[in-house]
Amino acid sequence: MNGSIATGSTQHNIRIFVAYRVISRCYFHLPVLLFYFWVIEIGMYRIITLLAIYGLSSTFCANLSRWLLHSLSQKQVVAIGELAKALGLGLILWGTRQTEVSVALLVVAQVVGGAGFSIALSTDAGLLRQIASGDDPHLFMRVQTRTQSQMFIATLLAGTAGSLLFDYNVQWPFFASLFASLLSVWVLLQIHDPAQRPKSAATRTDAKLHLRPQQQFWMLFYSLSRAFTLAPFIGFIPFYFIMVNVEPLLFGAVLSFFTLSAFAAAKAGNVIIQRYGVVLLLTITVALMLSALLLFSFSSELAVSGIDYFITGLLGIGLLGLGSGAIRPVTMANLDVSDNSPSEQMRIFGRMERDFGLVNGLLLMLGAVLLVNWGVEALMLTFSGLYLLSMFAVLALRQRQSGPPLTC
C-alpha cells in the first residue's frame, strides 16, 4: 500500500513539474526584446549592454541557489527564481512606461531577471531528480528528455504569439510573459514536497568539488555552445533583420523557424549519439553552427550573387537552430551526476550557467563594439573564428578524458 501511495505521489509531482516547465518557458517577449529596446530609442550600445547585464547577472548569481538551499527546499528556491524573473519583467514595463524611460531601472530589471533565471534553471533539474528518485532509476532521464521537447514547443508557440501581440501593443508580450512566470509559480507550489535527505548531506558546501573528466567535457561543451548560440540569437541576429526592414510579425515567424529547427535537432541528438557516438554529433553541431555564422558573415557577397538578405538570414537562423537544438538535452542526458550529492549537483549546474553567462556576456560586449564600428558581417565573421577555436578546445579536452579528476 505504501508503495502505491508513493508511486501515485511521484506521478502527481511529475505531472505538475512537466506543467511548470512548459509554462515557465513561455517567453512571449523574447523574440521582440531587442525590437522593444530599439523602439524606445536608447541606442545600440545601451541595448547590447542591457542584454549583456542579463547574462552576467546569471553568471554571478549562479551560486545563489546553493545559498538558498541552506534554508529552503528545492521547490521553494525554484519558485523564488520564477518570482525574480517576473519582477524583472515588471521593472522593464515600469522603466519604459509611456514616454519616460529609466535606463537605471532597466539595469536593475536585467540584474533581477538574470538572477531569477539562473536560480530557477540551476535548481529545477535537481528538483526533478529529487521527486523522480525511487524504484525506477530511468524515470529522471525519461522526464528530462520528454520535457525538452515540450519546452521547445512552448517556446515556439509563445514566441509566435508574442510577435502577434507586439504588432498590436509593444508591451503586451511582456505582460504575457509576466503572467506566465506568476502562473508557473502557482503550478510549482502544487508539487507535494518529497522526503528530504538529512540537511547536513544536502547542504554541505565546504568540501571541494571534484569533477570527473566526463563531467568537465560536457560542462564546457554546454557553456561554450550555448553562449555562441544565444549571443548572436538574442543580441545581433534581430539587428540584422531590423536592417533588412523585416516587420516584427514576420520576424516572430523567423524566430519560430529557429525554434522549430532546434526542436528537430533535439529529437535527433540522442539518436545520433547512441548510434554513432559523441564525436559525430559534435562534428555535425560544429558544422551547422559554423555554416550559420558564415552565412551572416557573407550576406553582402551572397546578395551580389542574387540571394536576398532575408533568404540568407532565414537559412542562417535555420542552421543555427539545427546546430544548437541538441546542446542542452544531450548535455543533460549525458552529464552523469548520479554519484554527486544534491548540493554538488547544484554546484555543477550552477557552474555551467555561470560559465555560459560569462562567455555570453563577453561575446555580447565584444559584439557591440564590432557591430557599431564594423557592422554585422565583421561581427559574425569574428564570432565564426572564435567559435571554431573554442570547439577545437572542447574536442582536445575530449581526447584527454583519461586524465585525473579536476578540482574547482
Side-chain angles (χ1 to χ4, degrees):
M1 179 67 68
N2 290 339
S4 300
I5 294 174
T7 300
S9 177
T10 298
Q11 291 175 348
H12 166 84
N13 284 343
I14 292 296
R15 286 195 296 268
I16 297 299
F17 181 84
V18 170
Y20 154 72
R21 271 197 167 175
V22 170
I23 296 171
S24 68
R25 268 59 174 187
C26 287
Y27 300 130
F28 294 90
H29 71 290
L30 191 58
V32 295
L33 180 60
L34 191 142
F35 269 102
Y36 183 72
F37 286 151
W38 182 264
V39 166
I40 62 177
E41 299 181 347
I42 59 176
M44 182 52 65
Y45 273 129
R46 286 179 175 175
I47 291 174
I48 300 300
T49 299
L50 287 173
L51 297 178
I53 286 172
Y54 190 94
L56 292 174
S57 176
S58 299
T59 297
F60 294 113
C61 295
N63 289 326
L64 274 179
S65 56
R66 280 199 293 133
W67 179 76
L68 291 170
L69 284 170
H70 281 286
S71 53
L72 300 173
S73 68
Q74 294 194 26
K75 179 180 75 173
Q76 292 169 329
V77 171
V78 178
I80 287 175
E82 291 296 333
L83 287 173
K85 286 166 58 179
L87 179 58
L89 290 166
L91 289 173
I92 288 177
L93 290 168
W94 184 254
T96 56
R97 60 194 183 280
Q98 297 179 351
T99 58
E100 182 181 353
V101 176
S102 171
V103 176
L105 200 55
L106 291 177
V107 170
V108 175
Q110 292 296 84
V111 171
V112 173
F117 174 80
S118 178
I119 291 169
L121 194 64
S122 62
T123 312
D124 79 338
L127 173 61
L128 173 59
R129 187 176 294 278
Q130 184 184 59
I131 63 179
S133 60
D135 296 333
D136 185 356
H138 304 294
L139 178 60
F140 168 81
M141 198 57 63
R142 289 202 304 270
V143 176
Q144 183 76 6
T145 302
R146 177 164 55 112
T147 54
Q148 293 297 335
S149 301
Q150 294 170 339
M151 285 188 294
F152 271 122
I153 294 173
T155 304
L156 170 67
L157 296 177
T160 303
S163 300
L164 290 170
L165 292 172
F166 188 86
D167 209 36
Y168 286 98
N169 186 300
V170 295
Q171 291 190 327
W172 283 5
F174 295 87
F175 280 112
S177 291
L178 176 59
F179 174 77
S181 289
L182 294 176
L183 179 60
S184 71
V185 173
W186 179 82
V187 171
L188 183 71
L189 294 178
Q190 308 310 305
I191 293 177
H192 298 156
D193 287 320
Q196 300 290 323
R197 295 183 181 181
K199 188 178 179 68
S200 60
T203 60
R204 183 183 174 186
T205 60
D206 54 339
K208 289 184 178 181
L209 176 63
H210 295 277
L211 298 176
R212 298 190 301 276
Q214 180 264 6
Q215 291 176 323
Q216 192 198 35
F217 165 74
W218 284 110
M219 291 167 67
L220 185 61
F221 168 73
Y222 172 86
S223 300
L224 290 174
S225 298
R226 280 199 74 212
F228 275 98
T229 299
L230 291 186
F233 179 73
I234 299 298
F236 307 113
I237 290 178
F239 184 80
Y240 173 90
F241 284 101
I242 288 175
M243 293 299 96
V244 298
N245 298 316
V246 173
E247 294 293 328
L249 180 60
L250 181 57
F251 178 64
V254 170
L255 292 193
S256 297
F257 179 54
F258 167 89
T259 307
L260 192 62
S261 301
F263 172 72
K267 299 293 286 185
N270 277 317
V271 175
I272 293 174
I273 201 171
Q274 289 170 6
R275 292 186 180 180
Y276 306 106
V278 67
V279 174
L280 179 62
L281 177 65
L282 290 177
T283 302
I284 294 173
T285 299
V286 170
L288 290 171
M289 294 275 291
L290 191 60
S291 298
L293 295 174
L294 288 174
L295 273 176
F296 287 106
S297 302
F298 294 101
S299 56
S300 294
E301 288 77 3
L302 293 171
V304 172
S305 301
I307 302 176
D308 187 75
Y309 283 99
F310 177 77
I311 299 299
T312 299
L314 189 63
L315 291 173
I317 204 167
L319 289 174
L320 191 68
L322 288 173
S324 64
I327 292 170
R328 181 172 175 81
V330 170
T331 298
M332 299 307 293
N334 292 276
L335 178 63
D336 184 8
V337 295
S338 57
D339 293 334
N340 297 97
S341 68
S343 176
E344 289 172 338
Q345 291 175 19
M346 292 304 99
R347 293 171 68 182
I348 289 173
F349 295 138
R351 179 173 176 177
M352 288 166 59
E353 296 306 324
R354 181 201 70 188
D355 293 346
F356 151 68
L358 180 60
V359 178
N360 186 63
L362 292 174
L363 288 176
L364 284 170
M365 289 186 288
L366 172 63
V369 175
L370 292 172
L371 179 63
V372 172
N373 291 283
W374 289 283
V376 68
E377 292 178 343
L379 181 158
M380 290 297 188
L381 189 60
T382 302
F383 275 18
S384 299
L386 291 175
Y387 173 71
L388 192 58
L389 288 174
S390 68
M391 288 300 103
F392 276 134
V394 171
L395 290 172
L397 177 64
R398 172 71 177 175
Q399 301 304 314
R400 297 190 290 107
Q401 276 203 325
S402 60
L406 299 175
T407 302
C408 62

